[in-house]
Amino acid sequence: RESIKEKARLRLREFDVGDRFSHLPLPKASVLLPLMVREGKLHLLLTLRSMQLRRSPGQVCFPGGKSEAIDKDEIDTALREAKEEVGLQPEKVEVICRLVPGIDKMNHLVTPVVGFIEDTFQATPNPDEVSDVFVVPLEYFVKPLNYKTLPYKTSTGYLSRMHCFIYDDHEHKMSFKIWGLTAHFAVFLALVIFGKRPTFEVDYDLDDLISSSEKNFMNLYASLCKRKKSNL
């Protein structure tokens, strides 16, 4: 267990962006990517959003949300939101790093914060926000059984592809659809940790994952700025 964690920690620290993107003038949000070791393998905890939420009801996502004035940084935001949504106490998370952010459809700068949690963690979902909590083997995001790609136009008019995974959870006896920014972060996390080629196409140079991921993000950000200017 410790050697699996240690290997993952070392890989993740190489990809830690710290606060390098924190200065960008976009509204901020963070998500926590909670990793655990179960049956000798890394697993990722995900949530199913409540049907009564206004935004993206019934969709799979990571615990997270918008930054608030009380948050010191993106890590604080992710930990506070995880506590509010699934009852995960901040001191029970071993925070490892922040990865390259993404931009959601509301044009928030979303920072993924990666941390280890114990496999014994029992979630207590806040029913106003979360209807279910489940775990997926991290390897599923490089070697899926049920995968398709959805063509998609970003808010900036940039043509891209979106990963879409269907995961059959035997514990819950149901299937979960994981797509959008959530799938994007899960795939990147799996690429970083396993360092191997996925069974599907990705928009990265896999021989230079660090700079190609940062370049992709900066292109997306630049096209957003360009569109904002042309709308003025």
Side-chain angles (χ1 to χ4, degrees):
R1 168 177 303 211
E2 263 318 302
S3 70
I4 293 172
K5 277 189 177 179
E6 194 43 45
K7 242 166 136 167
R9 273 189 205 104
L10 292 172
R11 287 281 300 169
L12 286 162
R13 288 196 182 118
E14 282 177 49
F15 285 80
D16 187 5
V17 298
D19 60 4
R20 204 177 325 150
F21 298 99
S22 306
H23 66 283
L24 297 176
L26 290 176
K28 307 278 188 289
S30 289
V31 289
L32 181 67
L33 278 52
L35 281 169
M36 63 173 80
V37 180
R38 194 175 266 191
E39 292 161 359
K41 285 185 174 174
L42 287 169
H43 285 68
L44 200 48
L45 179 134
L46 291 142
T47 70
L48 190 66
R49 286 170 67 84
S50 160
M51 286 308 285
Q52 55 212 25
L53 287 170
R54 255 204 341 255
R55 222 160 58 79
S56 311
Q59 286 191 11
V60 168
C61 64
F62 291 110
K66 285 190 279 202
S67 162
E68 290 183 6
I70 52 165
D71 302 332
K72 281 202 310 283
D73 56 17
E74 296 93 346
I75 295 170
D76 256 20
T77 304
L79 295 177
R80 176 182 53 72
E81 287 282 345
K83 183 183 176 184
E84 286 171 17
E85 289 180 15
V86 297
L88 177 60
Q89 298 300 323
E91 65 275 10
K92 297 283 187 194
V93 183
E94 181 204 344
V95 173
I96 308 295
C97 69
R98 284 172 271 191
L99 296 176
V100 174
I103 297 173
D104 70 7
K105 46 184 186 280
M106 311 291 288
N107 293 335
H108 285 93
L109 180 76
V110 186
T111 300
V113 175
V114 186
F116 275 110
I117 63 172
E118 285 304 321
D119 68 323
T120 50
F121 168 64
Q122 293 289 319
T124 48
N126 171 351
D128 294 335
E129 297 191 46
V130 172
S131 64
D132 225 327
V133 177
F134 63 104
V135 298
V136 179
L138 184 62
E139 205 175 26
Y140 197 80
F141 297 106
V142 281
K143 281 185 11 194
L145 296 173
N146 191 338
Y147 170 87
K148 62 183 177 196
T149 168
L150 308 171
Y152 139 86
K153 214 173 195 173
T154 65
S155 61
T156 59
Y158 181 70
L159 214 61
S160 179
R161 57 172 153 239
M162 191 184 276
H163 304 297
C164 178
F165 300 85
I166 305 294
Y167 179 67
D168 295 323
D169 187 307
H170 302 299
E171 202 181 315
H172 288 75
K173 297 189 173 42
M174 66 189 281
S175 293
F176 294 101
K177 178 183 174 185
I178 307 162
W179 62 297
L181 201 53
T182 302
H184 168 82
F185 287 149
V187 167
F188 187 65
L189 180 67
L191 291 175
V192 166
I193 289 177
F194 297 124
K196 60 184 177 192
R197 292 187 177 272
T199 56
F200 50 88
E201 290 289 308
V202 288
D203 295 326
Y204 300 112
D205 172 356
L206 294 172
D207 298 319
D208 191 2
L209 194 50
I210 292 183
S211 39
S212 79
S213 61
E214 294 189 7
K215 196 171 120 196
N216 283 4
F217 169 72
M218 288 314 294
N219 287 344
L220 181 66
Y221 176 68
S223 64
L224 174 66
C225 293
K226 208 160 113 186
R227 194 181 59 116
K228 278 186 171 168
K229 266 189 193 143
S230 68
N231 285 349
L232 289 176

